[in-house]
Amino acid sequence: MASSHSSSPVPQSNSSDAFFKKEMDATKRFRPVQSLPDVCPKEPTGDPSNLCDSPSLVADQHRWTIYHSKVNLPAALNDPRLAKRESDFFTKTWGVDFVDTEVTPSFYLPQITKEHFALYQQEITPREKVHERCKNICTTKDTFDRTLLHTHDKSRTDLEQVPKIFMKPDFALEDSLTFNAVLPWSHFSTAGGKGNRDAASSKLLQEKLSHYLDIVEVNIAHQISLRSEAFFHAMTSQHELQDYLRKTSQAVKLLREKISKIDKVMCEGSLRVLRLSLTRNNCIKAYNKLKLMATVHQTQPTVQLLLSTSEFVGALDLIATTQEVLQQELQGIHSFRHLGSQLCELEKLIDKMMIAEFSTYARNDLNRPLEDDCQILEEERLVSLVFGLLKQRKLNFYEIYGDEMIITAKNIIKQCVVNTVSQIEEIDTEVVVKLADQMRMMNFPQWFDLLKNIFSKFTIFLKRIKATLNTIRSVVFLVLDKNQKNRDLEDTLQKNSAKDSTVDTEVAYLTHEGMFISDAFSEGDLPPVAADTTSQRNTSPNSEPCSSDSVSEPECTTDSSSSKEQTSSSVTPGGVEMMISDDMKLTDLELVRLANNIQELLYNASDICHDRSVKFLMARAKDGFLEKLNSNEFVALSRLMEGFILDTEQICGRKSMSLRGALQSQANRFVNRFHEERKTKLSLLLDNERWKQAEVPAEFQDLVDSVSDGRISLPEKKPAAAEERKPTEFLIVEGQKYATVGTVLLLIRIILEYCQCVDNIPSITTDMLTRLSDLLKYFNSRSCQLVLGAGALQVVGLKTITTKNLALSSRCLQLIVHYIPIIRAHFEARLQPKQFSMLRHFDHITKDYHDHIAEISAKLVAIMDSLFDKLLSKYEVKAPVPSVCFRNICKQMAKMHEAIYDLLPEEQTQMLFLRINASYKLHLKRQLAHLNVVNDGGPLNGLVTSDVAFYTGNLQALKGLNSLDLNMAEIWEQKR
């Protein structure tokens, strides 16, 4: 088994003692184990003096050395090209061609001469002598090899004596065949006569097996002895390897210490310099960023300082520059996360401030005393404001001026009225507080003088507005003219690009701590407008671009190409010199539209004056003042109005029709106001009406009596000293009593007012007819909602709608129906024949009122019908007589009669109770049929007859119903 492993023969002595004696001195027999071929110039051996031969990291840091090479040791050792692996790890070659390949000598390796081996020869010479002596004693190599070969052949011959069955890998005595082959049973037979021979055979077998065992043990011992030298060799190599690794570890440790010292001496300083340089650069950047942040942080105080001097354009430029810095250089700064939105809000605030400034100017300009001349107020301020608003594209600023015109026009009229009233002793301002009421207390001459004063004030007012708007339009036209010149100049420059014929002027202002450098110069030190000036730009983060007063409109430029803006000098009609810059980014269309709007504003001023005059006239005409004027007064008023209209047309250049149409439209306006007031009044009366009978004052009775005489007109008020008459319960109309509510009394008066208005103003007859029809329809529908629809429960708070409420509502409707034919005749007499078709409205109204009255009657019958159904459904024919059911029915009938008798005429009361009696008979007849009570003269019939007689007697005993034919025999009719 051991012979299967191949190994090189190892020499040994003839005797085992000599062999092991020699192996004990392993260091003398074997050479020191050689290491792998070293690619390094010199490995550290632990001697500090040898470390100095390593390459310098400073001198050779840019040269390639062997230290730059990287070798994968396992990949180098496990060369797949080798045919087989060598057993010795330390003598393995690097490849098939490694030995034959010429290696370029390294200049780091010293030249080796014989002198380097002198010390080694001195040490090895004594050992060599000892070795020679030992070699004479030991067998020569050839003899040893022959002996070893002979011994090997002899061992093989001995092993061949052992049967092959013992050499099988699957040898097992448990197998019966193997066991019989090793121990034949024939040798253990116990037959008679053969005992001695079997014992001899068993002994022979035992000796044979013992012989086989000896052969195997001898061969095993021989194999062990053959490999003992290799075993001790491996142990010795292991110790040497451990020593080598220990020295290597020490060398690595020393190398690391040296590298650490080199790093401290040569690297740390340089790297620290680099780090400090980088840190310094970062600090400079951070410092500059902080300076920029500090400058940006001062934006808001600087803007406030600019705003305090009304430098709106400069503040807006500063905000725009700061916004750009925030978006580009300071983007992501957490402390400025809200500054952008704050600046946006501040920019909006500046826009509002500019608008407020213009609004203040407009207010001061328009509210000056109208006795002054028509000169423009602070023309320079106006021009600067207009340029600033144009720069910000606030093109609707003229609307502010228009709003102020409206307010001022109102104030002019108010002030004129106050001055006039204060001069009239008859008007007590403490009693009559309202100015309109005070004005209405004037007579026509006083009011006419007031109107003349208002017209004169409005004339001066329009002249002043025209002068201001002309100045604004001149500014707009100057900007428009500048745009046209710029376009012409651009065309010229494109044609003559080689020539420089432009005259550039630019005034740049630098801000430092919120102060203007230009403020240090006097007006005489400023350069001429037409001179060329160098554009100054902000190179310091502490400076921000801003502009001077918006009159001149110069802008600071930030273009990298050092471009210049063109400005030109212009003079307004008032003599104000202006500087117009090229930063007015307005198109010609926008400027033309703005100029047209300003001109339209002048037209609006004329319209405003006319409208305010018309409103003044209408305010005085609310009580019918204009309709009551005589012809002379009306002619004087017309001439005054025509003169004012001509003056305004001459000033503004356009006609205004509002004042001319005021008198023509007054009638229609009066009709609308008249109708709405009375309809609203009626609505309020109905919403507060509790539908109870009201007393009729004497004046309403007189009003009705005047209508009965054939004329529809409101009676004249009697003097207060006349004897006061007491009110009555009923309204007497042509001999009939009408119980009414307060709302209907007032409605009659309102109807008569409509009729009288038609008499006073015949031209509005058709409009009055339509609106009166609408009023009557509204009363009908609204009263139906409140009474029949029970709307009064929620509106007024009534607990329930009683039969008395229903009867009173019916009677009120009947009163209105009585007057509809009279009203129709009144309007018919004043309509043209082609307008008679409009009278059909009264026919529709009459039909609606009759339908409403019929619904109320049906509702009263329905109330008793539900009561009969409830009581008679429980009726039983039994004693006592009269029954409880009939007693309750008679009681409810009496209550119904008591509620409506005083409200409705006797004929209507009888007709209503006939309908109620018919409902009663129907329910009683149904109940008797249900109880199987017939008219057979029996006891039940007698009881029913007694109850019916009780009902008939009670009903006919009521006032006005004694002659009522009840026909109670119908209750006994049977169904066929």
Side-chain angles (χ1 to χ4, degrees):
M1 295 176 61
S3 62
S4 62
H5 300 281
S6 60
S7 63
S8 60
V10 180
Q12 63 179 359
S13 63
N14 293 333
S15 63
S16 61
D17 296 336
F19 177 80
F20 288 106
K21 181 179 180 180
K22 187 175 181 178
E23 288 299 324
M24 291 299 292
D25 192 4
T27 59
K28 294 182 178 181
R29 173 167 182 172
F30 299 102
R31 295 178 302 171
V33 180
Q34 296 180 358
S35 62
L36 293 174
D38 196 358
V39 297
C40 298
K42 187 172 184 179
E43 285 188 352
T45 59
D47 189 3
S49 61
N50 295 331
L51 295 175
C52 61
D53 297 333
S54 60
S56 174
L57 293 176
V58 177
D60 301 331
Q61 59 180 340
H62 300 296
R63 297 175 55 189
W64 189 91
T65 63
I66 57 173
Y67 292 101
H68 290 84
S69 63
K70 297 183 184 340
V71 179
N72 188 349
L73 187 59
L77 298 178
N78 298 328
D79 191 353
R81 296 176 295 177
L82 295 179
K84 69 173 185 176
R85 297 181 182 276
E86 306 232 354
S87 59
D88 193 351
F89 178 83
F90 298 100
T91 59
K92 186 183 302 182
T93 61
W94 292 97
V96 177
D97 301 329
F98 180 78
V99 178
D100 297 334
T101 302
E102 294 183 1
V103 179
T104 304
S106 175
F107 57 90
Y108 292 106
L109 297 178
Q111 295 295 330
I112 305 301
T113 61
K114 290 184 179 181
E115 285 75 14
H116 291 84
F117 297 93
L119 181 61
Y120 174 78
Q121 289 178 353
Q122 293 177 4
E123 293 178 355
I124 205 64
T125 299
R127 297 181 183 179
E128 185 179 5
K129 293 179 180 180
V130 174
H131 175 70
E132 291 295 334
R133 289 196 301 268
C134 292
K135 187 169 69 172
N136 294 331
I137 298 174
C138 297
T139 308
T140 60
K141 185 176 184 302
D142 295 340
T143 305
F144 179 77
D145 291 340
R146 287 195 297 273
T147 303
L148 183 62
L149 181 60
H150 175 71
T151 304
H152 181 69
D153 293 340
K154 183 179 179 182
S155 300
R156 178 173 297 180
T157 304
D158 293 339
L159 288 174
E160 290 179 353
Q161 297 178 7
V162 179
K164 300 299 183 182
I165 191 173
F166 291 102
M167 303 300 180
K168 292 182 177 180
D170 56 350
F171 176 79
L173 292 178
E174 291 82 0
D175 188 5
S176 60
L177 296 178
T178 303
F179 185 81
N180 291 332
V182 175
L183 300 175
W185 288 101
S186 60
H187 294 173
F188 299 97
S189 176
T190 57
K194 297 183 180 180
N196 295 330
R197 188 173 54 187
D198 292 337
S201 299
S202 300
K203 185 176 181 181
L204 180 60
L205 179 60
Q206 183 176 4
E207 292 178 356
K208 185 184 295 185
L209 295 175
S210 299
H211 177 65
Y212 294 158
L213 178 60
D214 293 338
I215 292 173
V216 171
E217 289 179 351
V218 169
N219 277 276
I220 290 174
H222 178 66
Q223 293 296 330
I224 292 174
S225 65
L226 290 177
R227 284 157 177 76
S228 62
E229 183 177 0
F231 173 74
F232 287 109
H233 184 199
M235 292 298 296
T236 303
S237 299
Q238 180 68 22
H239 291 303
E240 291 180 355
L241 178 61
Q242 291 179 355
D243 294 339
Y244 181 77
L245 291 176
R246 184 172 59 255
K247 293 178 181 180
T248 302
S249 176
Q250 294 177 356
V252 169
K253 182 178 180 181
L254 292 175
L255 180 62
R256 288 179 176 176
E257 292 178 354
K258 184 176 180 180
I259 291 174
S260 176
K261 293 179 180 179
I262 292 173
D263 179 65
K264 292 181 180 178
V265 174
M266 305 183 66
C267 299
E268 284 187 359
S270 301
L271 293 177
R272 184 179 180 185
V273 171
L274 293 177
R275 284 194 297 268
L276 292 176
S277 177
L278 182 61
T279 303
R280 180 178 178 274
N281 293 334
N282 292 336
C283 291
I284 292 175
K285 293 179 180 179
Y287 173 71
N288 292 333
K289 191 72 71 174
L290 289 175
K291 289 176 63 180
L292 183 60
M293 291 174 63
T295 303
V296 171
H297 184 65
Q298 294 298 322
T299 299
Q300 291 177 324
T302 306
V303 169
Q304 293 176 358
L305 181 61
L306 293 173
L307 295 180
S308 64
T309 58
S310 299
E311 289 287 343
F312 300 110
V313 179
L316 290 171
D317 290 340
L318 179 58
I319 290 174
T321 304
T322 305
Q323 290 279 29
E324 183 179 357
V325 171
L326 286 176
Q327 294 176 1
Q328 295 180 359
E329 301 183 27
L330 297 181
Q331 187 176 9
I333 301 299
H334 185 71
S335 59
F336 288 154
R337 63 188 184 277
H338 300 306
L339 183 58
S341 59
Q342 292 174 357
L343 292 178
C344 291
E345 295 298 328
L346 191 58
E347 186 174 1
K348 296 179 182 179
L349 177 62
I350 293 175
D351 293 341
K352 294 180 180 179
M353 291 179 63
M354 293 178 64
I355 295 174
E357 184 76 11
F358 184 78
S359 177
T360 303
Y361 173 84
R363 190 179 304 110
N364 295 335
D365 178 53
L366 296 175
N367 290 328
R368 286 182 293 164
L370 294 174
E371 288 77 11
D372 297 344
D373 55 7
C374 299
Q375 296 297 327
I376 302 174
L377 177 66
E378 299 180 7
E379 185 176 359
E380 294 182 359
R381 179 186 175 192
L382 173 62
V383 172
S384 64
L385 282 174
V386 172
F387 270 107
L389 292 170
L390 291 178
K391 179 179 177 61
Q392 291 304 113
R393 300 181 62 86
K394 300 297 181 181
L395 304 182
N396 59 343
F397 66 92
Y398 62 90
E399 297 177 358
I400 301 174
Y401 200 82
D403 296 338
E404 290 296 333
M405 288 192 309
I406 297 174
I407 298 174
T408 305
K410 293 180 180 179
N411 293 334
I412 289 174
I413 295 179
K414 182 177 180 180
Q415 188 63 35
C416 290
V417 173
V418 170
N419 293 337
T420 304
V421 169
S422 62
Q423 298 174 1
I424 301 175
E425 298 179 357
E426 292 80 2
I427 301 176
D428 189 357
T429 56
E430 295 181 357
V431 177
V432 183
V433 180
K434 293 184 179 180
L435 193 63
D437 296 338
Q438 295 173 0
M439 184 265 296
R440 293 189 188 99
M441 296 179 65
M442 299 178 185
N443 53 31
F444 179 77
Q446 294 172 344
W447 179 80
F448 186 80
D449 293 338
L450 173 60
L451 182 61
K452 184 186 297 184
N453 186 24
I454 290 174
F455 284 164
S456 63
K457 298 291 186 182
F458 275 158
T459 302
I460 300 175
F461 177 68
L462 289 176
K463 290 180 180 180
R464 185 173 296 172
I465 292 175
K466 182 179 180 180
T468 302
L469 294 182
N470 285 341
T471 302
I472 297 175
R473 290 189 72 210
S474 65
V475 174
V476 175
F477 283 130
L478 287 175
V479 176
L480 182 62
D481 182 65
K482 180 60 179 178
N483 289 347
Q484 183 64 35
K485 290 181 180 180
N486 289 338
R487 284 195 301 271
D488 296 341
L489 183 60
E490 290 176 359
D491 295 339
T492 304
L493 290 176
Q494 290 177 358
K495 295 178 181 179
N496 306 306
S497 59
K499 297 180 181 180
D500 186 7
S501 61
T502 60
V503 179
D504 299 337
T505 58
E506 179 181 286
V507 180
Y509 294 92
L510 298 178
T511 59
H512 179 69
E513 296 182 356
M515 299 298 294
F516 290 108
I517 294 178
S518 60
D519 294 341
F521 298 95
S522 62
E523 295 182 358
D525 297 335
L526 292 176
V529 174
D532 294 339
T533 58
T534 304
S535 176
Q536 301 179 1
R537 288 167 177 81
N538 294 326
T539 57
S540 173
N542 293 328
S543 61
E544 295 292 344
C546 65
S547 66
S548 66
D549 191 272
S550 56
V551 175
S552 59
E553 291 293 327
E555 289 292 320
C556 296
T557 60
T558 57
D559 187 56
S560 60
S561 61
S562 300
S563 61
K564 298 182 179 180
E565 295 179 353
Q566 294 180 355
T567 59
S568 62
S569 176
S570 302
V571 180
T572 63
V576 179
E577 186 176 356
M578 301 177 297
M579 299 297 295
I580 305 176
S581 61
D582 288 342
D583 60 349
M584 295 291 183
K585 305 301 181 181
L586 296 174
T587 63
D588 292 349
L589 180 61
E590 292 175 334
L591 292 172
V592 171
R593 186 184 296 115
L594 178 59
N596 293 334
N597 291 334
I598 294 173
Q599 182 62 35
E600 189 67 25
L601 187 61
L602 181 59
Y603 300 152
N604 293 338
S606 176
D607 295 337
I608 289 171
C609 293
H610 282 247
D611 293 340
R612 298 313 305 179
S613 300
V614 169
K615 290 184 178 180
F616 176 77
L617 294 174
M618 297 302 104
R620 187 63 182 91
K622 285 185 178 181
D623 55 352
F625 178 77
L626 295 180
E627 289 79 4
K628 298 177 183 179
L629 294 179
N630 55 39
S631 59
N632 294 330
E633 293 173 343
F634 186 79
V635 169
L637 179 62
S638 299
R639 289 178 179 178
L640 178 63
M641 295 173 62
E642 285 293 335
F644 176 70
I645 292 172
L646 292 176
D647 291 339
T648 55
E649 289 178 359
Q650 183 179 3
I651 295 173
C652 301
R654 193 178 71 169
K655 296 181 179 181
S656 297
M657 303 302 297
S658 59
L659 190 57
R660 283 178 174 169
L663 293 178
Q664 289 78 3
S665 62
Q666 175 59 28
N668 295 330
R669 294 180 182 178
F670 174 76
V671 170
N672 294 331
R673 180 191 56 78
F674 182 88
H675 175 66
E676 291 299 330
E677 287 181 356
R678 279 142 185 83
K679 187 174 181 180
T680 303
K681 181 179 180 181
L682 178 61
S683 176
L684 294 175
L685 291 173
L686 288 172
D687 290 341
N688 293 278
E689 182 59 60
R690 303 189 65 86
W691 297 99
K692 293 183 179 180
Q693 184 178 358
E695 294 181 347
V696 180
E699 59 181 69
F700 284 97
Q701 185 63 51
D702 295 340
L703 182 64
V704 172
D705 294 340
S706 65
V707 176
S708 301
D709 294 339
R711 57 185 180 87
I712 298 180
S713 62
L714 296 176
E716 296 181 0
K717 293 184 178 180
K718 295 182 179 181
E723 182 180 357
E724 295 183 359
R725 293 176 295 172
K726 295 183 180 180
T728 59
E729 294 184 2
F730 299 95
L731 183 66
I732 308 301
V733 180
E734 296 181 358
Q736 292 189 10
K737 292 182 179 181
Y738 284 91
T740 63
V741 295
T743 302
V744 175
L745 294 176
L746 294 175
L747 177 59
I748 294 175
R749 183 179 183 86
I750 291 174
I751 293 173
L752 297 182
E753 289 175 354
Y754 274 82
C755 296
Q756 187 179 17
C757 185
V758 171
D759 293 336
N760 295 331
I761 312 175
S763 60
I764 62 173
T765 302
T766 55
D767 292 338
M768 278 296 181
L769 189 150
T770 304
R771 284 161 176 77
L772 181 56
S773 301
D774 178 68
L775 187 71
L776 294 175
K777 291 179 181 178
Y778 175 77
F779 173 76
N780 184 41
S781 61
R782 185 60 178 161
S783 61
C784 181
Q785 294 173 1
L786 294 173
V787 181
L788 278 179
L793 299 180
Q794 291 80 20
V795 177
V796 185
L798 296 180
K799 295 182 179 180
T800 181
I801 302 298
T802 62
T803 55
K804 192 171 184 177
N805 299 138
L806 293 171
L808 186 60
S809 174
S810 176
R811 193 58 175 163
C812 292
L813 294 173
Q814 293 172 19
L815 178 61
I816 302 299
V817 170
H818 173 79
Y819 281 103
I820 289 179
I822 301 174
I823 299 170
R824 175 191 173 107
H826 182 81
F827 277 89
E828 184 176 3
R830 289 156 181 81
L831 287 175
Q832 299 294 330
K834 61 181 180 180
Q835 298 174 340
F836 285 167
S837 60
M838 299 184 64
L839 296 175
R840 68 181 185 275
H841 293 296
F842 292 109
D843 299 333
H844 297 326
I845 294 172
T846 303
K847 181 178 179 302
D848 293 340
Y849 272 71
H850 283 302
D851 293 341
H852 189 185
I853 294 170
E855 290 178 4
I856 294 176
S857 300
K859 181 65 175 179
L860 292 173
V861 175
I863 292 173
M864 298 304 297
D865 184 76
S866 62
L867 180 64
F868 294 150
D869 182 58
K870 179 180 179 181
L871 295 176
L872 291 175
S873 62
K874 302 177 181 179
Y875 173 63
E876 295 180 358
V877 183
K878 62 180 180 179
V881 176
S883 62
V884 177
C885 176
F886 275 76
R887 289 179 183 274
N888 291 333
I889 291 174
C890 293
K891 182 179 179 180
Q892 296 298 329
M893 294 288 280
K895 288 183 178 181
M896 169 67 78
H897 181 270
E898 181 182 0
I900 68 175
Y901 181 76
D902 293 335
L903 303 178
L904 298 178
E906 184 174 343
E907 296 80 6
Q908 295 184 21
T909 305
Q910 292 177 359
M911 292 299 299
L912 180 62
F913 272 90
L914 283 176
R915 295 177 60 184
I916 294 173
N917 181 65
S919 174
Y920 162 76
K921 290 188 293 182
L922 181 62
H923 286 283
L924 180 59
K925 182 178 180 180
R926 186 183 300 116
Q927 183 65 16
L928 293 177
H930 176 69
L931 298 175
N932 295 324
V933 179
V934 296
N935 189 12
D936 57 356
L940 295 178
N941 178 260
L943 294 174
V944 172
T945 302
S946 300
D947 286 336
V948 171
F950 175 76
Y951 164 79
T952 303
N954 278 275
L955 185 58
Q956 292 179 344
L958 297 176
K959 188 176 181 181
L961 301 181
N962 51 359
S963 61
L964 197 64
D965 186 9
L966 302 179
N967 194 13
M968 299 303 296
E970 293 179 356
I971 65 174
W972 301 111
E973 294 181 1
Q974 300 295 329
K975 293 183 180 180
R976 296 179 181 179

